[in-house]
Amino acid sequence: MLTGSIQITGEALSGAEIKDICDSLKESSVRLLSVRGCQLSDRDFGRVCRGVAESHSLAQLNLNLGVVSTIGRTKQLADALKANRSLQTLFLHGSPLLDAGLVTLNGALSTHPSLVSLDLGDCMLGDEAVRLICGLFPPDGAKSGLKELTLSANPAVSTQGWARLAIAVAHSSQLRVLNLDYNPLGDHIAGMLAVSVASSRTLEVLDLEGTGLTNQSAQVFLDMVENYPTSLRVLVLAENDISPELQQQISDLLSEGEEEEDKDGEARGSSVTPREKPAWVPHSNSSSSQMVLMTSGLGRLWFDPALPACNVDRFQTLSPSPPSY
């Protein structure tokens, strides 16, 4: 049976609609479920989680914009993830998880057999959460681990927390995309990340938009891409105090490296692109429809027009563009 998608944004969901969603999940007829910014009762949220636990087809789950609003819901989601075996991408952007939420989710995230893409942007995380997230990067490739991670707009993370993440990234055997935009990193942390990029054999996209960087950071990255081999293909430095000339130099060098790889037969496989980002909306305005867009290594999941919609009102088929936050 062909699987489809359910996508609803910013609406109050009735009990009947929740039943339809749960039935589709339990029948394994849904590959993408997105209820971003939707209002549903705690009881109905639990019903959806039980459906996620029983689904054998669900590959992408979008609960962005405050759907996971309490520690109780976080526990229900953790239980669902422990039972589910199909999920590959989980979006929790704009959820008030705090470190306690990551502690609750960690066991399920770290043992999930298929999860490769995780969005924890604007989730009010701190150093303890980052420590747990680092455990999702297996250093030796012996088990599955994250290929894409978003930690945008988590300003409570300290210098020590970001340093820990930089070390984990340097030793990760699988991470390809890292989005740290709109965190107050500064040049010191950027320097650590440059070392991580130089050490990583897999990291292809690094988003540092709006992170308080200056020409000092840009010069470090320029020296790195100019003098050392790197897997990096995209470095986003917009909305920083960096000269356009330096940004262009870095972009040109990365483009040259990508062209050389293309000539060698696209040794790295499918291309990785940065997120399309029309606007940034912080946590306090998370009800807005303007949020960051994200690409994924599961891109074909979003671009296959043959996937039908489930037979539920207001449910949409997959569109030609990735789902937004």
Side-chain angles (χ1 to χ4, degrees):
M1 179 163 82
L2 288 175
T3 53
S5 71
I6 298 173
Q7 300 184 61
I8 311 174
T9 298
E11 298 195 33
L13 300 180
S14 68
E17 289 171 323
I18 294 295
K19 182 181 184 301
D20 287 333
I21 291 172
C22 293
D23 288 346
S24 297
L25 287 169
K26 292 174 182 179
E27 293 168 1
S28 293
S29 61
V30 178
R31 188 166 171 82
L32 184 159
L33 172 61
S34 175
V35 290
R36 57 187 292 272
C38 289
Q39 303 169 39
L40 60 164
S41 69
D42 289 342
R43 177 177 177 272
D44 285 343
F45 182 84
R47 292 168 64 192
V48 171
C49 285
R50 288 191 291 275
V52 169
E54 296 180 32
S55 175
H56 300 292
S57 64
L58 188 65
Q60 180 172 320
L61 178 61
N62 188 328
L63 300 175
N64 285 349
L65 305 185
V67 176
V68 185
S69 56
T70 65
I71 193 65
R73 292 192 177 192
T74 304
K75 291 177 180 176
Q76 290 176 314
L77 177 61
D79 290 341
L81 294 176
K82 288 176 183 176
N84 176 277
R85 288 293 176 265
S86 62
L87 195 67
Q88 299 172 49
T89 298
L90 177 62
F91 294 91
L92 297 174
H93 201 108
S95 303
L97 296 178
L98 303 171
D99 285 0
L102 253 291
V103 171
T104 301
L105 288 171
N106 183 61
L109 295 176
S110 61
T111 58
H112 198 285
S114 305
L115 190 68
V116 294
S117 182
L118 180 63
D119 184 344
L120 296 173
D122 197 13
C123 285
M124 304 181 181
L125 305 181
D127 288 358
E128 176 62 13
V130 170
R131 184 187 68 80
L132 296 173
I133 291 166
C134 289
L136 304 179
F137 301 151
D140 56 6
K143 63 175 183 176
S144 62
L146 291 183
K147 294 183 179 180
E148 302 184 8
L149 174 65
T150 295
L151 289 175
S152 313
N154 282 293
V157 179
S158 72
T159 298
Q160 182 179 0
W162 293 126
R164 185 190 293 271
L165 180 72
I167 294 170
V169 170
H171 289 278
S172 170
S173 62
Q174 299 180 47
L175 189 67
R176 297 168 63 214
V177 179
L178 179 62
N179 300 305
L180 300 178
D181 46 316
Y182 295 95
N183 285 297
L185 302 181
D187 290 328
H188 182 58
I189 296 301
M192 295 182 188
L193 291 170
V195 175
S196 295
V197 171
S199 301
S200 172
R201 299 178 181 178
T202 59
L203 191 67
E204 299 181 29
V205 177
L206 177 60
D207 188 344
L208 298 177
E209 178 174 348
T211 52
L213 309 188
T214 70
N215 284 344
Q216 177 181 331
S217 298
Q219 189 62 56
V220 171
F221 280 108
L222 178 62
D223 291 343
M224 180 199 69
V225 298
E226 194 170 24
N227 297 303
Y228 299 94
T230 175
S231 299
L232 194 68
R233 299 169 65 180
V234 177
L235 177 63
V236 182
L237 295 173
E239 299 299 324
N240 287 297
D241 189 17
I242 297 173
S243 70
E245 293 77 15
L246 271 176
Q247 294 192 50
Q248 189 62 52
Q249 283 181 274
I250 295 170
S251 178
D252 290 345
L253 286 169
L254 292 175
S255 297
E256 289 174 10
E258 185 173 353
E259 289 172 3
E260 290 175 4
E261 281 203 355
D262 290 341
K263 291 178 182 178
D264 291 336
E266 298 182 356
R268 229 181 293 276
S270 62
S271 62
V272 175
T273 57
R275 296 172 297 168
E276 178 188 352
K277 302 198 298 182
W280 171 257
V281 178
H283 188 93
S284 59
N285 295 327
S286 58
S287 61
S288 168
S289 62
Q290 287 188 312
M291 293 299 289
V292 184
L293 302 178
M294 180 179 181
T295 62
S296 170
L298 306 173
R300 294 197 63 82
L301 170 64
W302 291 338
F303 294 108
D304 188 351
L307 296 182
C310 296
N311 187 23
V312 182
D313 289 343
R314 295 191 282 131
F315 293 177
Q316 307 167 2
T317 55
L318 295 177
S319 63
S321 60
S324 68
Y325 293 145

